[in-house]
């Protein structure tokens, strides 16, 4: 719950920055908000409190008062996003039934297809994982998500808390980026064993990450008035 812990100090969720391939960092402009104290003084005070938060590796105070926070466990952001889908509700379907995207063509050239397929793919991974004996569920600890493709998914997921507090979460573009990152991870960092490969904790961690991706995609699609597709 690293993002929630940071938000408790800052007053609002920080925003992830960079690619996270080498280091997972967040940025916050909390010190610039009107508090009566000079910006530098406020920033240093917040930085001191942030350094005491478990999971924070470094806090830099920029000359303009922005705070840059490096965390030691990027996978901890999975505790800040849902791992289960929102309660089933009847969506108010858009007139064309496809929301911000056309229904066709159902190819990679259509970002709406990529989003829907990412949801269906994550749904299928959960079924395949159970059949192949990969551990699943909230009890799985995702400490092996260290590869660049896993980190890319975590980086996009880390945006969710700050987006949800914004006036315009920008669901379409966000879901497109999350889907693209998940498809890359699926192809290059498989969440399920392949060939004679034995199920491992890294597979379990990737399945758990996929659960988070599926839940976030479902949330965003329902916000857009669309029903997440179980199959495509």
């Amino acid at each position: 719950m690293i993002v929630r812990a940071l938000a408790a100090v800052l007053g609002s969720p920080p925003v992830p920055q960079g690619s996270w391939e080498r280091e997972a960092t967040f940025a916050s402009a909390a010190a610039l908000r009107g508090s009566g104290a000079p910006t530098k003084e406020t920033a240093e005070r917040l930085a001191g409190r942030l350094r005491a938060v478990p999971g924070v590796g470094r806090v830099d105070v920029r000359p303009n008062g922005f705070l840059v926070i490096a965390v030691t466990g990027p996978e901890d952001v999975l505790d800040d996003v849902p791992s289960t889908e929102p309660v089933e509700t009847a969506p108010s379907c858009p007139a064309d039934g496809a929301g911000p995207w056309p229904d066709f063509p159902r190819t990679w050239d259509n970002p709406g297809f990529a989003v829907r397929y990412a949801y269906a793919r994550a749904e299928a991974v959960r079924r395949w994982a159970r059949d192949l004996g990969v551990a699943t569920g909230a009890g799985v600890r995702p400490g092996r998500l260290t590869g660049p493709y896993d980190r890319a998914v975590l980086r996009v997921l880390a945006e969710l808390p700050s987006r949800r507090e914004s006036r315009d979460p920008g669901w379409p573009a966000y879901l497109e980026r999350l889907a693209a990152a998940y498809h890359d991870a699926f192809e290059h960092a498989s969440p399920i064993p392949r060939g004679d490969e034995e199920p491992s904790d890294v597979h379990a961690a990737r399945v758990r990450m996929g659960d988070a991706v599926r839940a976030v995609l479902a949330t965003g699609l329902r916000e857009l008035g669309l029903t997440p597709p179980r199959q495509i």
Side-chain angles (χ1 to χ4, degrees), residues 102-162:
D103 193 15
F104 292 95
R106 291 180 178 174
T107 67
W108 294 114
D109 293 329
N110 180 0
F113 166 79
V115 170
R116 296 183 184 94
Y117 185 38
Y119 174 87
R121 198 172 223 180
E123 176 74 17
V125 163
R126 185 168 57 166
R127 297 193 302 270
W128 297 335
R130 286 196 296 263
D131 293 342
L132 293 171
V134 178
T136 59
V140 172
R141 299 310 306 164
R144 292 286 303 277
L145 299 175
T146 58
Y149 295 101
D150 298 322
R151 287 286 189 94
V153 176
L154 294 173
R155 164 64 176 79
V156 183
L157 287 172
E159 295 180 25
L160 183 65
S162 58

Side-chain angles (χ1 to χ4, degrees), residues 5-143:
L6 298 177
V9 175
L10 298 167
S12 62
V15 179
Q17 67 169 16
S19 69
W20 281 32
E21 184 171 349
R22 294 184 179 181
E23 184 178 46
T25 59
F26 291 88
S28 173
L32 279 63
R33 303 189 191 109
S35 63
T39 298
K40 181 71 171 178
E41 179 182 318
T42 301
E44 293 291 353
R45 175 175 53 80
L46 288 173
R49 293 176 59 193
L50 290 168
R51 292 182 184 113
V53 173
V56 171
R58 191 186 78 254
V59 181
D60 297 332
V61 179
R62 296 289 168 82
N64 60 3
F66 273 81
L67 297 165
V68 177
I69 308 145
V71 299
T72 57
E75 65 278 358
D76 291 343
V77 303
L78 292 180
D79 292 327
D80 292 289
V81 299
S83 58
T84 57
E85 296 183 26
V87 176
E88 188 82 17
T89 57
S92 53
C93 294
D96 63 358
W101 311 288
D103 193 15
F104 292 95
R106 291 180 178 174
T107 67
W108 294 114
D109 293 329
N110 180 0
F113 166 79
V115 170
R116 296 183 184 94
Y117 185 38
Y119 174 87
R121 198 172 223 180
E123 176 74 17
V125 163
R126 185 168 57 166
R127 297 193 302 270
W128 297 335
R130 286 196 296 263
D131 293 342
L132 293 171
V134 178
T136 59
V140 172
R141 299 310 306 164

Side-chain angles (χ1 to χ4, degrees), residues 146-232:
T146 58
Y149 295 101
D150 298 322
R151 287 286 189 94
V153 176
L154 294 173
R155 164 64 176 79
V156 183
L157 287 172
E159 295 180 25
L160 183 65
S162 58
R163 282 182 175 273
R164 291 184 111 170
E165 289 204 2
S166 67
R167 293 181 180 177
D168 179 11
W171 283 115
Y174 178 63
L175 298 184
E176 289 171 23
R177 290 178 50 240
L178 180 57
Y182 184 66
H183 287 307
D184 283 345
F186 181 91
E187 297 293 341
H188 299 284
S190 178
I192 55 176
R194 290 179 173 172
D196 296 331
E197 191 177 12
E198 291 293 323
S200 68
D201 57 347
V202 70
H203 294 119
R206 286 171 177 163
V207 171
R208 184 183 173 196
M209 184 172 69
D211 285 342
V213 170
R214 190 187 72 252
V216 173
L217 290 173
T219 297
L221 286 169
R222 292 191 181 282
E223 287 289 334
L224 294 171
L226 300 172
T227 300
R230 296 293 174 182
Q231 294 181 336
I232 288 184

